[in-house]
Amino acid sequence: MNQFELFCMIFFVLDAEWDDTGDAVVGEYLSSANPFLFSDKSSADPTIFAHFCDVIDENITIENSFSLAKKYISDLNNINVTIAFNSISETDWHDSVSDYLSQEHKGQG
């Protein structure tokens, strides 16, 4: 699993929670973090993905991806985003990651 794939998974979790809650603060983060707006492996605001890469600079595996995602979320110091991310259990996270990585997706490889 690479940095961009982990970043996309975090985005998916937050986006699903935003769909349920409509939290404006989470929506604002998602607008800046959107990894699908442009064709490159970045975010709508490139500083968001650059910051992510600064925080998550170690080897990423499926097994450690949840703890690394939580590390990044914690680094944001945004209670709304933290609450939104905490909507997913570690088991559901691992199931979602496995499913995501098994399909063709932006940033693979």
Side-chain angles (χ1 to χ4, degrees):
M1 182 170 208
N2 64 44
Q3 286 175 313
F4 188 74
E5 289 168 327
L6 179 59
F7 186 75
C8 289
M9 279 300 307
I10 293 168
F11 181 86
F12 288 140
V13 170
L14 295 174
D15 189 51
E17 186 62 15
W18 179 82
D19 283 344
D20 290 342
T21 66
D23 184 292
V25 174
V26 174
E28 184 178 318
Y29 171 79
L30 289 169
S31 292
S32 298
N34 189 336
F36 304 107
L37 194 58
F38 302 110
S39 61
D40 61 343
K41 293 179 188 174
S42 189
S43 50
D45 176 348
T47 63
I48 302 292
F49 185 64
H51 173 76
F52 173 83
C53 291
D54 288 342
V55 173
I56 307 300
D57 62 353
E58 57 257 55
N59 186 44
I60 304 165
T61 64
I62 292 174
E63 294 75 25
N64 74 2
S65 62
F66 187 69
S67 63
L68 292 176
K70 289 183 80 77
K71 175 184 174 183
Y72 170 69
I73 293 297
S74 176
D75 186 77
L76 293 175
N77 291 317
N78 183 319
I79 190 67
N80 296 59
V81 171
T82 299
I83 290 168
F85 187 80
N86 286 337
S87 68
I88 191 166
S89 70
E90 187 168 2
T91 300
D92 288 344
W93 168 270
H94 287 294
D95 290 345
S96 296
V97 167
S98 295
D99 185 50
Y100 174 64
L101 293 176
S102 72
Q103 300 174 32
E104 187 173 324
H105 58 273
K106 180 180 177 182
Q108 69 189 79

